[in-house]
Amino acid sequence: MNLSQLYYFRTLTQVKSYKKAAAELFISEPTLSVAIKKLETELGTDLLERKRHSITLTADGEEFAECVELSLSNLDAHVESIKRRSQERNRMLRIGIVFSAQQRIWSPLINQFWLAEDVNPNSVIRQGTTGQLIRALKHGEVDVFIAGQYPEDPDLVHHPMWYSNVLAAINVDNPLAKQESVTFDDIRKYNLISYTLNGPVGDDTKKLIDKYNLTGDFSYPNEPSLCSNVAANPDTIALVCDSWLAFGFEKVAIVPISDAPKVYHQFWLTHLAALPKSDSLLRRFIDFAVNYDFSSCPCDFVGKELNTL
């Protein structure tokens, strides 16, 4: 028994004529007759009563016809749903962006991709934390996202994008806030705070701690929580990524650290390991992003060229 036989049988029961069914199916009447006969042989019963110009269903045929109609209708609905989703995927990109990613970097990337595609832009941008975007990707709510690489997961593939510098967030009442730059020796005597070591920036923070022998409170999840504490206490200094989230505090100055590593926190393009095998809008976007020249993006706030691999 195969799908062709089932579709033949359903059409025959609908039009109740071999001639009409064969014409509708674009096959010959003998081909249709042989297919139905094989179906009856396999089931071990007559499904149809053949009359001169029409057919009627036997009791077994009535039961089988109901089963076939239900099964094929369900199959057809799922096939159409899958086709519709596939078509939508080839018309729209659903891109996730971590909150701290700079718009001045990823906006040109997305804009230039649509220019290269030579079609009207059709993308949905969703922002969230790294953890939220991982869940959204696995639940099919986004197609790809840009965030930190955390945690390790065999279902995900990461591609390096760009780096963010580490900066000092200093209360404006602190004398260091008026300097063009500071060093780690300048700030180590203050209450030093930075990101939690078990979060998306944890590995980067741990490397700074080890390399520069820093001590402090490393338990804050993001830039707003760090800068809020700096704003409340002139003796507190935070190590933060070059993120727009750190620049919205009137009482906080963001100052470069002259002896800091040139690269601090890296952003990654992440997608599911199981991608559609055929050419798709998503595959083309991934290829475009992986090969994108981030040095063409606007410079950061201290006038240095954007760090790239």
Side-chain angles (χ1 to χ4, degrees), residues 274-291:
L275 285 175
K277 294 182 179 180
S278 59
D279 178 54
S280 66
L281 188 67
L282 176 57
R283 277 190 173 275
R284 294 196 298 276
F285 176 73
I286 292 170
D287 290 341
F288 185 88
V290 168
N291 294 290

Side-chain angles (χ1 to χ4, degrees), residues 94-96 137 142-146 269-271 282 285-286:
R94 299 169 303 165
I95 305 170
L137 181 66
V142 297
D143 302 309
V144 65
F145 69 82
I146 296 173
L269 182 78
T270 299
H271 60 81
L282 176 57
F285 176 73
I286 292 170

Side-chain angles (χ1 to χ4, degrees), residues 109 146 159-163 266-269 289-290 294 308-309:
L109 161 66
I146 296 173
H159 302 279
M161 293 286 100
W162 69 86
Y163 283 108
Q266 187 171 29
F267 289 95
W268 301 76
L269 182 78
V290 168
F294 286 101
T308 56
L309 285 174

Side-chain angles (χ1 to χ4, degrees), residues 3-17:
L3 275 177
S4 293
Q5 290 173 312
L6 298 181
Y7 279 111
Y8 290 174
F9 179 75
R10 182 173 71 170
T11 301
L12 183 58
T13 59
Q14 289 172 340
V15 301
K16 293 183 170 51
S17 163

Side-chain angles (χ1 to χ4, degrees), residues 92-138:
M92 176 181 290
L93 275 176
R94 299 169 303 165
I95 305 170
I97 304 286
V98 73
F99 286 119
S100 58
Q102 296 284 22
Q103 183 179 6
R104 65 176 181 268
I105 297 173
W106 55 257
S107 289
L109 161 66
I110 296 172
N111 179 60
Q112 289 179 37
F113 170 73
W114 286 116
L115 288 175
E117 287 287 302
D118 196 26
V119 296
N120 291 327
N122 193 11
S123 52
V124 175
I125 306 298
R126 172 172 174 169
Q127 290 189 284
T129 65
T130 301
Q132 289 170 341
L133 294 177
I134 289 174
R135 289 191 291 273
L137 181 66
K138 290 191 171 185

Side-chain angles (χ1 to χ4, degrees), residues 152-192:
E152 290 295 328
D153 190 322
D155 294 331
L156 305 180
V157 175
H158 308 281
H159 302 279
M161 293 286 100
W162 69 86
Y163 283 108
S164 173
N165 296 329
V166 61
L167 306 165
I170 305 174
N171 188 294
V172 294
D173 294 329
N174 187 312
L176 294 180
K178 298 176 176 58
Q179 297 185 187
E180 289 188 4
S181 66
V182 295
T183 66
F184 281 114
D185 282 339
D186 291 332
I187 65 176
R188 70 171 67 251
K189 61 185 177 182
Y190 292 92
N191 300 324
L192 201 58

Side-chain angles (χ1 to χ4, degrees), residues 221-296:
N222 50 43
E223 291 80 15
S225 63
L226 288 164
C227 291
S228 293
N229 279 272
V230 171
N233 186 353
D235 290 327
T236 296
I237 293 179
L239 300 175
V240 298
C241 289
D242 176 10
S243 165
W244 66 274
L245 291 171
F247 289 86
F249 293 81
E250 185 178 346
K251 290 283 290 181
V252 177
I254 304 299
V255 182
I257 305 172
S258 60
D259 56 343
K262 291 183 178 180
V263 294
Y264 175 49
H265 179 58
Q266 187 171 29
F267 289 95
W268 301 76
L269 182 78
T270 299
H271 60 81
L272 292 175
L275 285 175
K277 294 182 179 180
S278 59
D279 178 54
S280 66
L281 188 67
L282 176 57
R283 277 190 173 275
R284 294 196 298 276
F285 176 73
I286 292 170
D287 290 341
F288 185 88
V290 168
N291 294 290
Y292 187 73
D293 180 11
F294 286 101
S295 65
S296 65

